[in-house]
Amino acid sequence: MPAAIVTGATGITGSAIVRHLIKDPSYTKIYSLSRSNAGLDHPKVQHVHLDLQGNSDHMAKDLAGVSAEHIFFCAYLPNDDPGETDRINAAMLSSFLSALTKMGEDKHIKRFVLTCGFKQYGVHLGRVKQPSLESDPLLLDSAGGVSWPPIFYYTQQQILAKAAKAGNWEWVCTLPEDVLGFAKGNFMNEATAIGLYCVVCKASPGSELPFPGNKDNYLTFNTWTSANLHAQFCLWAAKAAGAGNEIFNVTNGDSESFQNLWPKLAERFGCKIPDQMFSNSGFKDYESSTIQLKNTQHPLILHAKNMGLAKDPIATDAPTLRLQIDPEKWAKRSDVNEIWARLRKQYGLDQMAWEKATWDFLTFVLGRDWNCIGSMSKARKLGWTGYADTWDELVDTFERLEEAGILPPLQQLKHDY
Ligand SMILES: NC(=O)c1ccc[n+]([C@@H]2O[C@H](COP(=O)([O-])OP(=O)(O)OC[C@H]3O[C@@H](n4cnc5c(N)ncnc54)[C@H](OP(=O)(O)O)[C@@H]3O)[C@@H](O)[C@H]2O)c1
């Protein structure tokens, strides 16, 4: 009966993995690791307080008695500086691995599953080749004559592969796209920011729901990753024949777009779609933004010659975000804050949700004008059949946010406004 270790067990991806390990009868013991709260309370779960930024000797002491065949590494600390993000997250993984080695626990590992993401392809830097494939070239050093900012996943993958080779065990790396899920006390997710935007629009005069981003974004295709589906994938990848020492895209398996999702959001929250979604005059009260991304080029440039697009602006122009309503500016407006304050008081909502909501992330995902689709073929060829409907997952996440007092109870909101 295998045991499992989950680092980052209180986060969005990690907590979903713990929940799915609990349901899987083939796991009898789950060690959930993080610095803060005790995570999920269940007889199979033992929470261990662990600071991955501490040194590996201290960590080895904290981990005394912890032993597992399958390890799921979801710990993550973001930083505004990509170089610092690289240094911090590489050090957390490296120290954890060295603590396991010091304890002699590396001998028990069969597979180590590391959660990374679509930044692997540079979706945060500009337009990427579509669909993105696991075999696509990395944005390393001066690939394509461009000085790319560090991508911490690459460093983590190198550290992991080296440790696996030395310890004679296998690694798997997952690449989820924007994750739809909920973790207690963690407000940093796209669904929270979208939900807050929708409820404030609902309570605004006229209840209109203008799309904050640009028209190209509205019409492009995207994929999302359900935290639940990602967890199921990780459990599959920990055991699937042929999955060892491989990297996999993990997306819901449908292709979605805001032209499809936005009217559904309007209907769910009882809002009105504006007659002219992209009429400037309609939203003159809001501040728009045009943001040119600094120190980057479109990763598509690496493929441009091969595609006959080497001189095409689609590959060579400066990556730029365009928003008709910039969520970061919108969330600072006094009228918007007054409406939020009224909702918070009326329904007893969590102020931290508003303060910690990732408006900058929403500015990014709605302001870009490029598709983000990853192929699922590689995993499917090995037998992966998982699938999730993005709209259903979004609704599920909103319901959990409503239960947690982050969004108002929907029927009450619709009745009151
Ligand atoms: N969320 C997304 O939309 C998304 C999308 C694509 C890829 N990803 C990738 O998925 C991975 C996991 O991200 P996530 O969104 O699940 O993260 P998250 O929700 O922010 O959770 C991070 C976890 O790491 C733990 N942690 C942070 N610092 C720690 C430390 N010093 N020692 C021990 N534990 C620490 C946190 O717990 P404590 O604070 O309690 O320690 C928490 O459990 C990352 O590589 C991320 O880039 C995320």
Side-chain angles (χ1 to χ4, degrees), residues 8-14 33-37 50-53 74-77 92 115-118 152-153 176-179 186 188:
T10 51
I12 293 190
T13 55
L33 274 46
S34 70
R35 290 167 306 178
S36 59
N37 69 56
L50 186 80
D51 185 356
L52 289 163
Q53 288 188 293
C74 305
Y76 169 52
L77 262 182
M92 292 207 296
T115 300
C116 293
F118 264 41
F152 74 96
Y153 299 148
E177 230 297 53
D178 297 340
V179 173
N186 182 332
M188 295 169 71

PDB file of all heavy atoms in Angstrom, residues 8-14 33-37 50-53 74-77 92 115-118 152-153 176-179 186 188, ligand 1:
ATOM      1  N   GLY A   8       3.153  21.766  -0.310  1.00  0.00           N
ATOM      2  CA  GLY A   8       2.193  22.791  -0.776  1.00  0.00           C
ATOM      3  C   GLY A   8       0.780  22.273  -0.620  1.00  0.00           C
ATOM      4  O   GLY A   8      -0.103  22.577  -1.423  1.00  0.00           O
ATOM      5  N   ALA A   9       0.578  21.460   0.446  1.00  0.00           N
ATOM      6  CA  ALA A   9      -0.690  20.726   0.611  1.00  0.00           C
ATOM      7  C   ALA A   9      -1.867  21.624   0.915  1.00  0.00           C
ATOM      8  O   ALA A   9      -3.010  21.171   0.878  1.00  0.00           O
ATOM      9  CB  ALA A   9      -0.526  19.684   1.719  1.00  0.00           C
ATOM     10  N   THR A  10      -1.612  22.905   1.240  1.00  0.00           N
ATOM     11  CA  THR A  10      -2.725  23.813   1.528  1.00  0.00           C
ATOM     12  C   THR A  10      -3.035  24.712   0.335  1.00  0.00           C
ATOM     13  O   THR A  10      -3.946  25.526   0.384  1.00  0.00           O
ATOM     14  CB  THR A  10      -2.390  24.696   2.752  1.00  0.00           C
ATOM     15  OG1 THR A  10      -1.102  25.293   2.511  1.00  0.00           O
ATOM     16  CG2 THR A  10      -2.336  23.882   4.026  1.00  0.00           C
ATOM     17  N   GLY A  11      -2.272  24.573  -0.744  1.00  0.00           N
ATOM     18  CA  GLY A  11      -2.465  25.430  -1.925  1.00  0.00           C
ATOM     19  C   GLY A  11      -3.548  24.887  -2.855  1.00  0.00           C
ATOM     20  O   GLY A  11      -4.192  23.870  -2.570  1.00  0.00           O
ATOM     21  N   ILE A  12      -3.720  25.564  -3.980  1.00  0.00           N
ATOM     22  CA  ILE A  12      -4.813  25.195  -4.898  1.00  0.00           C
ATOM     23  C   ILE A  12      -4.573  23.812  -5.510  1.00  0.00           C
ATOM     24  O   ILE A  12      -5.460  22.954  -5.485  1.00  0.00           O
ATOM     25  CB  ILE A  12      -4.958  26.258  -6.009  1.00  0.00           C
ATOM     26  CG1 ILE A  12      -5.432  27.568  -5.399  1.00  0.00           C
ATOM     27  CG2 ILE A  12      -5.942  25.785  -7.086  1.00  0.00           C
ATOM     28  CD1 ILE A  12      -5.832  28.621  -6.373  1.00  0.00           C
ATOM     29  N   THR A  13      -3.372  23.572  -6.033  1.00  0.00           N
ATOM     30  CA  THR A  13      -3.131  22.259  -6.656  1.00  0.00           C
ATOM     31  C   THR A  13      -2.892  21.193  -5.581  1.00  0.00           C
ATOM     32  O   THR A  13      -3.400  20.079  -5.681  1.00  0.00           O
ATOM     33  CB  THR A  13      -1.918  22.316  -7.620  1.00  0.00           C
ATOM     34  OG1 THR A  13      -0.778  22.819  -6.917  1.00  0.00           O
ATOM     35  CG2 THR A  13      -2.211  23.197  -8.825  1.00  0.00           C
ATOM     36  N   GLY A  14      -2.139  21.547  -4.520  1.00  0.00           N
ATOM     37  CA  GLY A  14      -1.779  20.563  -3.492  1.00  0.00           C
ATOM     38  C   GLY A  14      -2.983  20.064  -2.717  1.00  0.00           C
ATOM     39  O   GLY A  14      -3.115  18.855  -2.467  1.00  0.00           O
ATOM     40  N   LEU A  33       2.255  18.541   3.759  1.00  0.00           N
ATOM     41  CA  LEU A  33       3.335  19.413   4.232  1.00  0.00           C
ATOM     42  C   LEU A  33       3.079  20.870   3.833  1.00  0.00           C
ATOM     43  O   LEU A  33       2.756  21.138   2.665  1.00  0.00           O
ATOM     44  CB  LEU A  33       4.663  18.979   3.584  1.00  0.00           C
ATOM     45  CG  LEU A  33       5.505  17.868   4.214  1.00  0.00           C
ATOM     46  CD1 LEU A  33       4.693  16.668   4.623  1.00  0.00           C
ATOM     47  CD2 LEU A  33       6.624  17.458   3.260  1.00  0.00           C
ATOM     48  N   SER A  34       3.212  21.781   4.783  1.00  0.00           N
ATOM     49  CA  SER A  34       3.178  23.217   4.489  1.00  0.00           C
ATOM     50  C   SER A  34       3.575  23.957   5.764  1.00  0.00           C
ATOM     51  O   SER A  34       3.773  23.338   6.810  1.00  0.00           O
ATOM     52  CB  SER A  34       1.781  23.659   4.025  1.00  0.00           C
ATOM     53  OG  SER A  34       0.882  23.606   5.100  1.00  0.00           O
ATOM     54  N   ARG A  35       3.670  25.293   5.657  1.00  0.00           N
ATOM     55  CA  ARG A  35       4.070  26.070   6.847  1.00  0.00           C
ATOM     56  C   ARG A  35       2.883  26.440   7.710  1.00  0.00           C
ATOM     57  O   ARG A  35       2.985  26.493   8.914  1.00  0.00           O
ATOM     58  CB  ARG A  35       4.732  27.406   6.423  1.00  0.00           C
ATOM     59  CG  ARG A  35       6.077  27.285   5.800  1.00  0.00           C
ATOM     60  CD  ARG A  35       6.442  28.607   5.172  1.00  0.00           C
ATOM     61  NE  ARG A  35       5.401  29.065   4.257  1.00  0.00           N
ATOM     62  CZ  ARG A  35       5.417  30.199   3.588  1.00  0.00           C
ATOM     63  NH1 ARG A  35       6.427  31.016   3.721  1.00  0.00           N
ATOM     64  NH2 ARG A  35       4.438  30.517   2.780  1.00  0.00           N
ATOM     65  N   SER A  36       1.728  26.697   7.089  1.00  0.00           N
ATOM     66  CA  SER A  36       0.666  27.339   7.867  1.00  0.00           C
ATOM     67  C   SER A  36      -0.348  26.357   8.438  1.00  0.00           C
ATOM     68  O   SER A  36      -0.018  25.548   9.289  1.00  0.00           O
ATOM     69  CB  SER A  36      -0.025  28.399   7.020  1.00  0.00           C
ATOM     70  OG  SER A  36      -0.560  27.809   5.860  1.00  0.00           O
ATOM     71  N   ASN A  37      -1.585  26.401   7.938  1.00  0.00           N
ATOM     72  CA  ASN A  37      -2.636  25.646   8.633  1.00  0.00           C
ATOM     73  C   ASN A  37      -2.478  24.145   8.437  1.00  0.00           C
ATOM     74  O   ASN A  37      -1.712  23.671   7.594  1.00  0.00           O
ATOM     75  CB  ASN A  37      -4.020  26.145   8.205  1.00  0.00           C
ATOM     76  CG  ASN A  37      -4.338  25.795   6.776  1.00  0.00           C
ATOM     77  OD1 ASN A  37      -4.289  24.642   6.410  1.00  0.00           O
ATOM     78  ND2 ASN A  37      -4.639  26.788   5.962  1.00  0.00           N
ATOM     79  N   LEU A  50       6.341  22.232   7.803  1.00  0.00           N
ATOM     80  CA  LEU A  50       7.673  22.229   7.181  1.00  0.00           C
ATOM     81  C   LEU A  50       7.903  23.541   6.447  1.00  0.00           C
ATOM     82  O   LEU A  50       7.072  23.947   5.623  1.00  0.00           O
ATOM     83  CB  LEU A  50       7.773  21.069   6.173  1.00  0.00           C
ATOM     84  CG  LEU A  50       9.157  20.885   5.561  1.00  0.00           C
ATOM     85  CD1 LEU A  50      10.073  20.134   6.524  1.00  0.00           C
ATOM     86  CD2 LEU A  50       9.073  20.124   4.249  1.00  0.00           C
ATOM     87  N   ASP A  51       9.031  24.191   6.751  1.00  0.00           N
ATOM     88  CA  ASP A  51       9.405  25.385   5.982  1.00  0.00           C
ATOM     89  C   ASP A  51      10.470  24.982   4.980  1.00  0.00           C
ATOM     90  O   ASP A  51      11.607  24.686   5.353  1.00  0.00           O
ATOM     91  CB  ASP A  51       9.920  26.477   6.929  1.00  0.00           C
ATOM     92  CG  ASP A  51      10.206  27.766   6.162  1.00  0.00           C
ATOM     93  OD1 ASP A  51      10.069  27.770   4.918  1.00  0.00           O
ATOM     94  OD2 ASP A  51      10.562  28.769   6.814  1.00  0.00           O
ATOM     95  N   LEU A  52      10.090  24.973   3.716  1.00  0.00           N
ATOM     96  CA  LEU A  52      11.024  24.532   2.665  1.00  0.00           C
ATOM     97  C   LEU A  52      12.132  25.544   2.424  1.00  0.00           C
ATOM     98  O   LEU A  52      13.049  25.285   1.660  1.00  0.00           O
ATOM     99  CB  LEU A  52      10.251  24.273   1.366  1.00  0.00           C
ATOM    100  CG  LEU A  52       9.350  23.035   1.386  1.00  0.00           C
ATOM    101  CD1 LEU A  52       8.335  23.084   0.262  1.00  0.00           C
ATOM    102  CD2 LEU A  52      10.185  21.764   1.285  1.00  0.00           C
ATOM    103  N   GLN A  53      12.030  26.713   3.083  1.00  0.00           N
ATOM    104  CA  GLN A  53      13.117  27.683   2.953  1.00  0.00           C
ATOM    105  C   GLN A  53      14.153  27.508   4.066  1.00  0.00           C
ATOM    106  O   GLN A  53      15.164  28.203   4.082  1.00  0.00           O
ATOM    107  CB  GLN A  53      12.564  29.104   2.973  1.00  0.00           C
ATOM    108  CG  GLN A  53      11.825  29.437   1.678  1.00  0.00           C
ATOM    109  CD  GLN A  53      11.431  30.891   1.604  1.00  0.00           C
ATOM    110  OE1 GLN A  53      10.590  31.337   2.375  1.00  0.00           O
ATOM    111  NE2 GLN A  53      12.052  31.631   0.713  1.00  0.00           N
ATOM    112  N   CYS A  74       4.005  20.503  -4.807  1.00  0.00           N
ATOM    113  CA  CYS A  74       3.181  21.628  -5.266  1.00  0.00           C
ATOM    114  C   CYS A  74       3.503  22.903  -4.502  1.00  0.00           C
ATOM    115  O   CYS A  74       2.752  23.873  -4.589  1.00  0.00           O
ATOM    116  CB  CYS A  74       1.698  21.324  -5.070  1.00  0.00           C
ATOM    117  SG  CYS A  74       1.163  19.811  -5.829  1.00  0.00           S
ATOM    118  N   ALA A  75       4.577  22.905  -3.713  1.00  0.00           N
ATOM    119  CA  ALA A  75       4.924  24.126  -2.970  1.00  0.00           C
ATOM    120  C   ALA A  75       5.375  25.183  -3.964  1.00  0.00           C
ATOM    121  O   ALA A  75       6.027  24.871  -4.973  1.00  0.00           O
ATOM    122  CB  ALA A  75       6.031  23.832  -1.972  1.00  0.00           C
ATOM    123  N   TYR A  76       5.051  26.422  -3.660  1.00  0.00           N
ATOM    124  CA  TYR A  76       5.344  27.494  -4.618  1.00  0.00           C
ATOM    125  C   TYR A  76       5.375  28.828  -3.894  1.00  0.00           C
ATOM    126  O   TYR A  76       4.482  29.133  -3.098  1.00  0.00           O
ATOM    127  CB  TYR A  76       4.249  27.491  -5.700  1.00  0.00           C
ATOM    128  CG  TYR A  76       4.242  28.681  -6.627  1.00  0.00           C
ATOM    129  CD1 TYR A  76       5.398  29.084  -7.298  1.00  0.00           C
ATOM    130  CD2 TYR A  76       3.069  29.402  -6.852  1.00  0.00           C
ATOM    131  CE1 TYR A  76       5.371  30.170  -8.159  1.00  0.00           C
ATOM    132  CE2 TYR A  76       3.030  30.482  -7.716  1.00  0.00           C
ATOM    133  CZ  TYR A  76       4.189  30.867  -8.363  1.00  0.00           C
ATOM    134  OH  TYR A  76       4.158  31.929  -9.209  1.00  0.00           O
ATOM    135  N   LEU A  77       6.407  29.615  -4.154  1.00  0.00           N
ATOM    136  CA  LEU A  77       6.479  30.982  -3.626  1.00  0.00           C
ATOM    137  C   LEU A  77       6.758  31.935  -4.774  1.00  0.00           C
ATOM    138  O   LEU A  77       7.856  31.921  -5.336  1.00  0.00           O
ATOM    139  CB  LEU A  77       7.603  31.088  -2.594  1.00  0.00           C
ATOM    140  CG  LEU A  77       7.231  30.980  -1.122  1.00  0.00           C
ATOM    141  CD1 LEU A  77       8.465  31.156  -0.248  1.00  0.00           C
ATOM    142  CD2 LEU A  77       6.183  32.027  -0.733  1.00  0.00           C
ATOM    143  N   MET A  92      13.927  25.647  -2.720  1.00  0.00           N
ATOM    144  CA  MET A  92      12.957  24.872  -1.918  1.00  0.00           C
ATOM    145  C   MET A  92      12.970  23.406  -2.358  1.00  0.00           C
ATOM    146  O   MET A  92      12.984  22.501  -1.526  1.00  0.00           O
ATOM    147  CB  MET A  92      11.540  25.458  -2.065  1.00  0.00           C
ATOM    148  CG  MET A  92      11.389  26.830  -1.433  1.00  0.00           C
ATOM    149  SD  MET A  92       9.692  27.212  -0.878  1.00  0.00           S
ATOM    150  CE  MET A  92       8.772  27.215  -2.376  1.00  0.00           C
ATOM    151  N   THR A 115       4.676  19.730  -9.966  1.00  0.00           N
ATOM    152  CA  THR A 115       3.710  20.584 -10.677  1.00  0.00           C
ATOM    153  C   THR A 115       4.421  21.833 -11.186  1.00  0.00           C
ATOM    154  O   THR A 115       4.983  22.596 -10.401  1.00  0.00           O
ATOM    155  CB  THR A 115       2.554  21.010  -9.741  1.00  0.00           C
ATOM    156  OG1 THR A 115       1.900  19.831  -9.277  1.00  0.00           O
ATOM    157  CG2 THR A 115       1.547  21.879 -10.467  1.00  0.00           C
ATOM    158  N   CYS A 116       4.411  22.017 -12.503  1.00  0.00           N
ATOM    159  CA  CYS A 116       4.930  23.254 -13.097  1.00  0.00           C
ATOM    160  C   CYS A 116       3.757  23.957 -13.780  1.00  0.00           C
ATOM    161  O   CYS A 116       2.700  24.044 -13.175  1.00  0.00           O
ATOM    162  CB  CYS A 116       6.068  22.933 -14.057  1.00  0.00           C
ATOM    163  SG  CYS A 116       7.541  22.288 -13.220  1.00  0.00           S
ATOM    164  N   GLY A 117       3.871  24.437 -15.013  1.00  0.00           N
ATOM    165  CA  GLY A 117       2.738  25.129 -15.635  1.00  0.00           C
ATOM    166  C   GLY A 117       3.094  25.621 -17.036  1.00  0.00           C
ATOM    167  O   GLY A 117       4.202  25.388 -17.540  1.00  0.00           O
ATOM    168  N   PHE A 118       2.146  26.336 -17.649  1.00  0.00           N
ATOM    169  CA  PHE A 118       2.310  26.764 -19.043  1.00  0.00           C
ATOM    170  C   PHE A 118       3.334  27.888 -19.229  1.00  0.00           C
ATOM    171  O   PHE A 118       3.654  28.236 -20.359  1.00  0.00           O
ATOM    172  CB  PHE A 118       0.949  27.174 -19.623  1.00  0.00           C
ATOM    173  CG  PHE A 118       0.281  26.065 -20.399  1.00  0.00           C
ATOM    174  CD1 PHE A 118       0.310  24.761 -19.928  1.00  0.00           C
ATOM    175  CD2 PHE A 118      -0.358  26.314 -21.603  1.00  0.00           C
ATOM    176  CE1 PHE A 118      -0.291  23.733 -20.625  1.00  0.00           C
ATOM    177  CE2 PHE A 118      -0.960  25.291 -22.316  1.00  0.00           C
ATOM    178  CZ  PHE A 118      -0.930  23.997 -21.831  1.00  0.00           C
ATOM    179  N   PHE A 152      11.478  29.467 -13.779  1.00  0.00           N
ATOM    180  CA  PHE A 152      11.935  28.633 -12.663  1.00  0.00           C
ATOM    181  C   PHE A 152      11.634  27.155 -12.865  1.00  0.00           C
ATOM    182  O   PHE A 152      12.318  26.298 -12.308  1.00  0.00           O
ATOM    183  CB  PHE A 152      11.382  29.130 -11.331  1.00  0.00           C
ATOM    184  CG  PHE A 152       9.925  28.872 -11.060  1.00  0.00           C
ATOM    185  CD1 PHE A 152       9.525  27.762 -10.325  1.00  0.00           C
ATOM    186  CD2 PHE A 152       8.954  29.739 -11.496  1.00  0.00           C
ATOM    187  CE1 PHE A 152       8.185  27.531 -10.043  1.00  0.00           C
ATOM    188  CE2 PHE A 152       7.608  29.518 -11.238  1.00  0.00           C
ATOM    189  CZ  PHE A 152       7.216  28.411 -10.517  1.00  0.00           C
ATOM    190  N   TYR A 153      10.663  26.835 -13.689  1.00  0.00           N
ATOM    191  CA  TYR A 153      10.351  25.422 -13.926  1.00  0.00           C
ATOM    192  C   TYR A 153      11.563  24.695 -14.527  1.00  0.00           C
ATOM    193  O   TYR A 153      11.812  23.538 -14.203  1.00  0.00           O
ATOM    194  CB  TYR A 153       9.194  25.274 -14.904  1.00  0.00           C
ATOM    195  CG  TYR A 153       7.878  25.878 -14.476  1.00  0.00           C
ATOM    196  CD1 TYR A 153       6.993  26.395 -15.423  1.00  0.00           C
ATOM    197  CD2 TYR A 153       7.492  25.906 -13.144  1.00  0.00           C
ATOM    198  CE1 TYR A 153       5.766  26.925 -15.059  1.00  0.00           C
ATOM    199  CE2 TYR A 153       6.272  26.446 -12.771  1.00  0.00           C
ATOM    200  CZ  TYR A 153       5.417  26.956 -13.733  1.00  0.00           C
ATOM    201  OH  TYR A 153       4.202  27.479 -13.370  1.00  0.00           O
ATOM    202  N   PRO A 176      -0.017  22.350 -15.933  1.00  0.00           N
ATOM    203  CA  PRO A 176      -1.391  22.850 -16.006  1.00  0.00           C
ATOM    204  C   PRO A 176      -1.428  24.254 -16.602  1.00  0.00           C
ATOM    205  O   PRO A 176      -0.454  25.000 -16.499  1.00  0.00           O
ATOM    206  CB  PRO A 176      -1.835  22.875 -14.539  1.00  0.00           C
ATOM    207  CG  PRO A 176      -0.570  22.993 -13.748  1.00  0.00           C
ATOM    208  CD  PRO A 176       0.524  22.375 -14.561  1.00  0.00           C
ATOM    209  N   GLU A 177      -2.567  24.624 -17.243  1.00  0.00           N
ATOM    210  CA  GLU A 177      -2.796  26.020 -17.663  1.00  0.00           C
ATOM    211  C   GLU A 177      -3.450  26.720 -16.469  1.00  0.00           C
ATOM    212  O   GLU A 177      -3.451  26.169 -15.372  1.00  0.00           O
ATOM    213  CB  GLU A 177      -3.733  26.005 -18.887  1.00  0.00           C
ATOM    214  CG  GLU A 177      -3.250  26.835 -20.072  1.00  0.00           C
ATOM    215  CD  GLU A 177      -3.110  28.345 -19.835  1.00  0.00           C
ATOM    216  OE1 GLU A 177      -2.434  28.776 -18.873  1.00  0.00           O
ATOM    217  OE2 GLU A 177      -3.631  29.092 -20.650  1.00  0.00           O
ATOM    218  N   ASP A 178      -4.062  27.881 -16.667  1.00  0.00           N
ATOM    219  CA  ASP A 178      -4.649  28.607 -15.533  1.00  0.00           C
ATOM    220  C   ASP A 178      -5.572  27.668 -14.748  1.00  0.00           C
ATOM    221  O   ASP A 178      -6.470  27.057 -15.316  1.00  0.00           O
ATOM    222  CB  ASP A 178      -5.438  29.817 -16.034  1.00  0.00           C
ATOM    223  CG  ASP A 178      -4.523  30.804 -16.747  1.00  0.00           C
ATOM    224  OD1 ASP A 178      -3.302  30.751 -16.529  1.00  0.00           O
ATOM    225  OD2 ASP A 178      -5.032  31.600 -17.553  1.00  0.00           O
ATOM    226  N   VAL A 179      -5.321  27.566 -13.438  1.00  0.00           N
ATOM    227  CA  VAL A 179      -5.993  26.543 -12.628  1.00  0.00           C
ATOM    228  C   VAL A 179      -7.309  27.078 -12.048  1.00  0.00           C
ATOM    229  O   VAL A 179      -7.347  28.177 -11.487  1.00  0.00           O
ATOM    230  CB  VAL A 179      -5.063  26.056 -11.490  1.00  0.00           C
ATOM    231  CG1 VAL A 179      -5.799  25.114 -10.545  1.00  0.00           C
ATOM    232  CG2 VAL A 179      -3.839  25.354 -12.079  1.00  0.00           C
ATOM    233  N   ASN A 186      -6.636  31.071   0.406  1.00  0.00           N
ATOM    234  CA  ASN A 186      -5.843  31.451  -0.777  1.00  0.00           C
ATOM    235  C   ASN A 186      -6.767  32.145  -1.777  1.00  0.00           C
ATOM    236  O   ASN A 186      -7.635  31.518  -2.368  1.00  0.00           O
ATOM    237  CB  ASN A 186      -5.224  30.194  -1.399  1.00  0.00           C
ATOM    238  CG  ASN A 186      -4.351  30.549  -2.588  1.00  0.00           C
ATOM    239  OD1 ASN A 186      -4.579  31.550  -3.257  1.00  0.00           O
ATOM    240  ND2 ASN A 186      -3.336  29.745  -2.840  1.00  0.00           N
ATOM    241  N   MET A 188      -5.661  33.906  -4.317  1.00  0.00           N
ATOM    242  CA  MET A 188      -4.935  34.211  -5.545  1.00  0.00           C
ATOM    243  C   MET A 188      -5.311  33.233  -6.644  1.00  0.00           C
ATOM    244  O   MET A 188      -4.561  32.324  -6.975  1.00  0.00           O
ATOM    245  CB  MET A 188      -3.432  34.172  -5.267  1.00  0.00           C
ATOM    246  CG  MET A 188      -3.030  35.264  -4.296  1.00  0.00           C
ATOM    247  SD  MET A 188      -1.378  35.069  -3.698  1.00  0.00           S
ATOM    248  CE  MET A 188      -0.468  35.478  -5.159  1.00  0.00           C
TER     249      MET A 188
HETATM  250  N1  LIG B   1      -2.713  28.492  -9.512  1.00  0.00           N
HETATM  251  C1  LIG B   1      -2.597  28.545 -10.829  1.00  0.00           C
HETATM  252  O1  LIG B   1      -3.436  29.138 -11.542  1.00  0.00           O
HETATM  253  C2  LIG B   1      -1.443  27.829 -11.521  1.00  0.00           C
HETATM  254  C3  LIG B   1      -1.471  27.713 -12.925  1.00  0.00           C
HETATM  255  C4  LIG B   1      -0.449  27.038 -13.566  1.00  0.00           C
HETATM  256  C5  LIG B   1       0.612  26.536 -12.840  1.00  0.00           C
HETATM  257  N2  LIG B   1       0.647  26.679 -11.488  1.00  0.00           N
HETATM  258  C6  LIG B   1       1.815  26.158 -10.779  1.00  0.00           C
HETATM  259  O2  LIG B   1       1.414  25.195  -9.827  1.00  0.00           O
HETATM  260  C7  LIG B   1       2.406  25.128  -8.786  1.00  0.00           C
HETATM  261  C8  LIG B   1       1.675  25.189  -7.458  1.00  0.00           C
HETATM  262  O3  LIG B   1       0.956  26.404  -7.425  1.00  0.00           O
HETATM  263  P1  LIG B   1      -0.399  26.641  -6.602  1.00  0.00           P
HETATM  264  O4  LIG B   1      -1.206  27.621  -7.400  1.00  0.00           O
HETATM  265  O5  LIG B   1      -0.987  25.357  -6.175  1.00  0.00           O
HETATM  266  O6  LIG B   1       0.209  27.398  -5.347  1.00  0.00           O
HETATM  267  P2  LIG B   1      -0.545  28.047  -4.116  1.00  0.00           P
HETATM  268  O7  LIG B   1      -2.024  27.799  -4.172  1.00  0.00           O
HETATM  269  O8  LIG B   1      -0.070  29.456  -4.019  1.00  0.00           O
HETATM  270  O9  LIG B   1       0.041  27.212  -2.895  1.00  0.00           O
HETATM  271  C9  LIG B   1       1.400  27.263  -2.588  1.00  0.00           C
HETATM  272  C10 LIG B   1       1.673  26.222  -1.513  1.00  0.00           C
HETATM  273  O10 LIG B   1       3.066  26.248  -1.218  1.00  0.00           O
HETATM  274  C11 LIG B   1       3.230  26.269   0.200  1.00  0.00           C
HETATM  275  N3  LIG B   1       4.466  26.961   0.528  1.00  0.00           N
HETATM  276  C12 LIG B   1       4.856  28.194   0.125  1.00  0.00           C
HETATM  277  N4  LIG B   1       6.045  28.490   0.665  1.00  0.00           N
HETATM  278  C13 LIG B   1       6.416  27.429   1.426  1.00  0.00           C
HETATM  279  C14 LIG B   1       7.533  27.164   2.241  1.00  0.00           C
HETATM  280  N5  LIG B   1       8.527  28.053   2.415  1.00  0.00           N
HETATM  281  N6  LIG B   1       7.588  25.982   2.891  1.00  0.00           N
HETATM  282  C15 LIG B   1       6.592  25.090   2.764  1.00  0.00           C
HETATM  283  N7  LIG B   1       5.505  25.275   1.980  1.00  0.00           N
HETATM  284  C16 LIG B   1       5.418  26.454   1.336  1.00  0.00           C
HETATM  285  C17 LIG B   1       1.982  27.035   0.686  1.00  0.00           C
HETATM  286  O11 LIG B   1       1.649  26.730   2.016  1.00  0.00           O
HETATM  287  P3  LIG B   1       2.112  27.640   3.247  1.00  0.00           P
HETATM  288  O12 LIG B   1       2.062  29.066   2.820  1.00  0.00           O
HETATM  289  O13 LIG B   1       1.148  27.264   4.303  1.00  0.00           O
HETATM  290  O14 LIG B   1       3.467  27.173   3.570  1.00  0.00           O
HETATM  291  C18 LIG B   1       0.904  26.463  -0.222  1.00  0.00           C
HETATM  292  O15 LIG B   1       0.429  25.243   0.294  1.00  0.00           O
HETATM  293  C19 LIG B   1       3.357  26.306  -9.040  1.00  0.00           C
HETATM  294  O16 LIG B   1       4.514  25.855  -9.691  1.00  0.00           O
HETATM  295  C20 LIG B   1       2.575  27.204  -9.975  1.00  0.00           C
HETATM  296  O17 LIG B   1       3.416  27.982 -10.804  1.00  0.00           O
HETATM  297  C21 LIG B   1      -0.365  27.312 -10.804  1.00  0.00           C
END
